[in-house]
Amino acid sequence: MAKEVAIGKRAKISEAQQYMLLSVLGAAVVLGVAISLVIHFIQQISFNTRVIMAEDEAIVSYSNIIKNTGICKSPKGDVYSDDELKKCDPDSIETSEIPGTLRANILENLAASDALNSVPKEASSSCINPETGKNYTYADLNKIYNNASGATELSAASQLIKSCSALRVIPDALPAFRNEEALLASLNKLFIESGWQPESLSPSGSSSTSTLAPGLNTISVSLSVEADTSTTMNVLDNIERSIREFDIERATIEWGSNNTLTLQAQATAYYMDESTVTETTQTLKAEDK
């Protein structure tokens, strides 16, 4: 009888141990799954946070570009809302509404510069104010634009500003890309203004990077003039007064018969590196590995 009782106790103890072991194993499995889910959710939250931060940085950067350039009026908050961007019309914004921006500084300072306005524009009577007989000033062009009514007059006023603005002097003086045909056209115009017609003009095909400033490049120009003294000096004077910068590196002048003067010169013209806009793509990963 005692033996049977002992066997029954051992069976119950063994059964209890099995239940305990299964309970521990079940708890371990549940704990492991819970830990895995927690790690997964933490990674997902971290990744989503990084994406949101990157989006916020892009939005802030985009808003700063718009605000600093002067494309739209300043936003009510730190960044532009979708509604503000939809209502933004750059053509209807006055410079007084965007003070301190790049656009305002260019229009109020450079475009209104007396020095730039004094530079002769292309040979076109449309850029001459009939009332003054001189180039249209920034104030003149603004007055024409403000007084324009209707789509046709506004379009004509906008085209006049684009053609006759003093800002055109800047790209004429230092082009943003290499254009040998435009360079030769500028030289040919100088020659014609000097009363001398070259027999032929052709690009040199030689260019290099200048050490004067970053992004500045040079084009070699060979010049040969054979004319009377007055005409040759006129050519040199017009090159010196040209909007386009020409540096004469070396020159040889010889006197000829019949009061002629022969000029052989090697000059350098300049242009800037072509500017390109590149799209930046950022890839975000759940882990930095």
Side-chain angles (χ1 to χ4, degrees):
M1 186 68 180
K3 184 176 182 181
E4 293 177 355
V5 172
I7 294 174
K9 289 182 178 179
R10 289 179 181 177
K12 290 181 179 180
I13 293 173
S14 177
E15 185 178 357
Q17 289 176 343
Q18 291 177 359
Y19 281 130
M20 185 176 293
L21 180 60
L22 291 174
S23 300
V24 172
L25 289 176
V29 171
V30 172
L31 180 60
V33 172
I35 292 175
S36 299
L37 290 174
V38 169
I39 293 175
H40 172 73
F41 287 135
I42 290 176
Q43 290 178 339
Q44 190 172 18
I45 293 172
S46 176
F47 175 71
N48 291 336
T49 302
R50 294 177 62 185
V51 171
I52 292 172
M53 291 177 61
E55 289 179 346
D56 290 342
E57 290 177 0
I59 292 173
V60 171
S61 178
Y62 182 68
S63 294
N64 287 336
I65 291 174
I66 295 176
K67 180 171 61 177
N68 295 334
T69 305
I71 299 175
C72 303
K73 299 178 185 178
S74 296
K76 295 180 180 179
D78 295 331
V79 297
Y80 290 93
S81 64
D82 293 339
D83 187 56
E84 287 175 324
L85 291 176
K86 288 179 181 178
K87 294 181 179 179
C88 175
D89 183 9
D91 294 332
S92 64
I93 298 176
E94 300 292 337
T95 55
S96 59
E97 298 175 314
I98 49 174
T101 63
L102 176 64
R103 182 182 178 187
N105 289 335
I106 289 176
L107 293 178
E108 292 179 351
N109 298 326
L110 287 180
S113 169
D114 292 335
L116 292 180
N117 276 296
S118 66
V119 177
K121 308 298 188 298
E122 293 295 328
S124 174
S125 59
S126 62
C127 291
I128 303 299
N129 188 338
E131 297 179 0
T132 62
K134 299 180 180 180
N135 293 330
Y136 278 114
T137 64
Y138 175 69
D140 296 334
L141 295 173
N142 265 355
K143 182 179 179 181
I144 293 174
Y145 184 84
N146 293 331
N147 292 336
S149 60
T152 302
E153 290 187 5
L154 283 173
S155 177
S158 297
Q159 186 60 39
L160 186 66
I161 291 175
K162 293 177 182 178
S163 302
C164 304
S165 172
L167 297 178
R168 289 186 62 89
V169 175
I170 298 174
D172 288 342
L174 187 59
F177 58 92
R178 175 174 175 171
N179 189 336
E180 292 185 338
E181 289 74 14
L183 173 62
L184 296 178
S186 299
L187 283 173
N188 190 49
K189 181 181 178 182
L190 293 176
F191 296 152
I192 294 175
E193 291 176 350
S194 305
W196 179 74
Q197 181 66 42
E199 295 182 0
S200 63
L201 284 174
S202 60
S204 64
S206 175
S207 63
S208 60
T209 301
S210 173
T211 59
L212 297 177
L216 188 64
N217 303 286
T218 64
I219 303 178
S220 297
V221 179
S222 297
L223 180 64
S224 178
V225 180
E226 184 176 355
D228 58 76
T229 304
S230 177
T231 301
T232 303
M233 296 306 298
N234 284 337
V235 170
L236 292 176
D237 287 341
N238 285 330
I239 290 177
E240 179 67 24
R241 293 187 294 106
S242 170
I243 298 174
R244 185 77 182 261
E245 178 70 18
F246 292 100
D247 285 344
I248 297 180
E249 305 293 339
R250 55 182 181 273
T252 302
I253 299 178
E254 297 179 355
W255 294 96
S257 58
N258 300 324
N259 196 30
T260 60
L261 196 64
T262 302
L263 170 66
Q264 300 286 343
Q266 186 71 30
T268 299
Y270 300 92
Y271 68 95
M272 296 295 294
D273 283 338
E274 187 172 357
S275 299
T276 57
V277 178
T278 57
E279 181 179 355
T280 301
T281 302
Q282 182 180 5
T283 302
L284 297 178
K285 299 181 180 180
E287 297 181 359
D288 294 331
K289 296 181 180 179

